[in-house]
Amino acid sequence: MNYLEIALANASNGYPTFPVRLDKRPLWGFTDWENLASTSPTVILKWWERHPAAIPAVTPGRIDKTVVDVDRKPGKPDGWESLIDRRVHVPPTTFRGASVSGLGLHLWFRDLSTSINGLLPGVDRKSRGGYVVTPYLLPPVSQIKVRVPLALQGGKVREGATGMPYSGGVVAWFGDHSGLTPSHAVQRVVRRFTGAKAETFAGHELLLEVQTHLVLLGVEGHGGVPEALDRLATIWADTPHTSAENPVAEWNNALAGAIEKSGGAKHGNH
């Protein structure tokens, strides 16, 4: 598909679209691009008749969406590494689009926020007051359902931060997140843990990874997280491994740390 066809398809899926130059800047006369962006095929056809080489761009804030722009260009901060360093969990169901260069990645979320460049090293956030160059096809707006990860909400994340602290303790956190139907993402984590071979438990890397993953899913509103953690705690305690003399204490301490770093109030169900 050419850029005009992509622009028309995205507009038909509900995305306000406008043309930008090859350097990704708005064309002359598009200083009010956030309001000028259109879903009308007639308007879009006229724009591309005048500027056939233009690249389509979308204003996510107009439709209450947020895009996290992850840069991975050589010689610059690796945005994906920044997300990993801050333990930001990106659900696998998040829609992803490649940037014009093919080196960047756009992560689409359903929430409205504000645009911030440099949210993290190599990571920008685009929503109200921002636009995203989209040389790719987008799904219907209604299919963008994943919420913005907690660690990417608010202002710029300070160096070394890993999430929003939670001082309520493990019991309070479980109370805030219990009683919901397990989401598919939670079920996948459980299957991965229960399917692990016994020798995997020689160290606690899997323990930390699974606990952090489940806590982040709980923060994002996925159901069934406390129940999954209870089940996995039993498996952890009953499976032979050599990571600690007291596996129950190790599990509890690691879980408290995961909640402290990434916990908080749930946002709602997925």
Side-chain angles (χ1 to χ4, degrees):
M1 300 181 72
N2 59 39
Y3 285 150
L4 170 58
E5 291 170 333
I6 291 173
L8 290 169
N10 288 343
S12 70
N13 279 336
Y15 297 88
T17 300
F18 71 100
V20 298
R21 304 183 312 198
L22 296 181
D23 63 3
K24 300 191 288 188
R25 295 182 180 182
L27 291 165
W28 184 87
F30 281 85
T31 54
D32 191 22
W33 42 263
E34 189 160 26
N35 291 319
L36 287 173
S38 178
T39 58
S40 166
T42 302
V43 172
I44 290 173
L45 283 168
K46 287 182 178 179
W47 284 340
W48 260 264
E49 284 177 2
R50 300 171 192 164
H51 311 282
I55 308 173
V58 165
T59 55
R62 281 265 305 275
I63 48 173
D64 294 343
K65 299 292 180 284
T66 291
V67 177
V68 174
D69 187 353
V70 184
D71 196 0
R72 308 200 72 182
K73 293 178 181 177
K76 294 186 177 181
D78 188 314
W80 199 255
E81 290 296 329
S82 293
L83 297 181
I84 293 173
D85 290 343
R86 272 65 174 190
R87 298 185 181 181
V88 177
H89 171 63
V90 179
T93 53
T94 305
F95 179 80
R96 307 166 189 223
S99 65
V100 175
S101 67
L103 300 176
L105 191 64
H106 298 160
L107 307 174
W108 283 77
F109 300 100
R110 78 183 197 190
D111 307 276
L112 175 66
S113 60
T114 55
S115 297
I116 297 179
N117 290 329
L119 182 67
L120 293 171
V123 178
D124 299 332
R125 190 177 69 204
K126 306 293 186 182
S127 187
R128 180 182 289 134
Y131 66 88
V132 182
V133 180
T134 51
Y136 49 84
L137 291 175
L138 285 158
V141 167
S142 61
Q143 292 183 17
I144 304 294
K145 297 181 178 180
V146 177
R147 306 198 77 114
V148 179
L150 186 68
L152 299 179
Q153 299 176 17
K156 290 188 178 181
V157 179
R158 67 185 185 278
E159 188 67 27
T162 56
M164 179 180 290
Y166 182 71
S167 59
V170 175
V171 174
W173 192 92
F174 267 46
D176 286 345
H177 294 77
S178 295
L180 302 175
T181 302
S183 72
H184 292 301
V186 170
Q187 294 176 42
R188 282 196 296 270
V189 176
V190 171
R191 286 196 297 269
R192 178 170 178 269
F193 190 89
T194 55
K197 296 180 181 179
E199 55 265 27
T200 303
F201 298 119
H204 64 220
E205 290 82 4
L206 179 63
L207 159 71
L208 296 175
E209 179 184 342
V210 168
Q211 285 183 338
T212 299
H213 195 168
L214 284 173
V215 168
L216 287 169
L217 287 174
V219 169
E220 292 169 8
H222 289 257
V225 170
E227 294 79 6
L229 286 166
D230 276 339
R231 178 183 175 190
L232 299 189
T234 300
I235 296 173
W236 174 262
D238 293 343
T239 303
H241 53 80
T242 58
S243 61
E245 293 183 2
N246 189 335
V248 174
E250 181 185 29
W251 175 275
N252 291 336
N253 290 336
L255 178 58
I259 291 173
E260 172 65 22
K261 291 176 180 178
S262 307
K266 65 189 178 186
H267 294 293
N269 284 323
H270 281 262

